[in-house]
């Protein structure tokens, strides 16, 4: 079942939402093929990610996703959680803080919850938003990633 996408009526409505949850994404499945592709793209082919046979006897009992693979899901998770109607563009400005409190075993389903922490005006009627994205693993006891994403929005 798909999570309803939250529609924010306009960019000017965003500052009033500071401190609130903007939305939650659908579940995303983490498959070995995606882990392998990420390893190939980044050059990080550590055995805990790409060698299922060796990883079976390792500390996690299976392969796990790279932390940066989990972090790279931020755009899709945020796009599934909320939309600002009439937005011209959003630009990734960076990250304030990122943590990976728990591993992501292959076959996990992840989803993100987005909270607006801060919002400041920019020139040309833009806004800079700090968004906390907490990524959870289905059945997990703590988040697998918590990141503060800084995004600049323009009409």
């Amino acid at each position: 079942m798909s999570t309803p996408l939250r529609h924010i009526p306009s960019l000017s409505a965003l500052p009033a939402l500071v401190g609130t949850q903007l939305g939650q994404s659908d579940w995303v499945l983490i498959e070995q093929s995606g882990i392998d592709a990420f390893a190939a793209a980044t050059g990080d082919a550590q055995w805990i990610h790409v060698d299922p046979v060796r990883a079976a006897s390792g500390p996690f009992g299976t392969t796990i996703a790279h932390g940066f693979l989990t972090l790279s899901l931020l755009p899709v998770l945020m796009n599934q959680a909320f939309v600002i109607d009439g937005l011209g563009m959003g630009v990734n400005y960076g990250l304030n803080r990122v943590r990976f409190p728990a591993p992501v075993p292959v076959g996990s389903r992840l989803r993100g919850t987005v909270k607006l922490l801060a919002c400041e005006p920019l020139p040309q009627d833009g806004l800079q938003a700090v968004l906390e994205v907490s990524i959870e693993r289905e059945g997990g006891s703590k988040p697998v990633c918590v990141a503060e994403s800084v995004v600049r929005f323009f009409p």
Side-chain angles (χ1 to χ4, degrees), residues 45-67:
Q46 187 176 170
W47 64 269
I48 61 172
H49 304 304
V50 299
D51 187 342
V53 174
R54 186 172 178 194
S57 60
F60 306 107
T62 189
T63 55
I64 60 169
H66 305 73

Side-chain angles (χ1 to χ4, degrees), residues 39-121:
T42 62
D44 183 355
Q46 187 176 170
W47 64 269
I48 61 172
H49 304 304
V50 299
D51 187 342
V53 174
R54 186 172 178 194
S57 60
F60 306 107
T62 189
T63 55
I64 60 169
H66 305 73
F68 286 141
L69 184 156
T70 305
L71 183 64
S72 75
L73 296 174
L74 260 60
V76 71
L77 299 176
M78 289 192 295
N79 287 337
Q80 289 180 0
F82 73 96
V83 65
I84 302 170
D85 294 336
L87 183 67
M89 71 173 175
V91 178
N92 174 13
Y93 193 66
L95 300 161
N96 286 340
R97 178 182 166 97
V98 178
R99 296 291 183 266
F100 304 105
V104 177
V106 67
S108 295
R109 289 182 2 129
L110 307 180
R111 73 175 170 190
T113 301
V114 182
K115 180 179 180 181
L116 180 61
L117 299 181
C119 196
E120 299 175 4

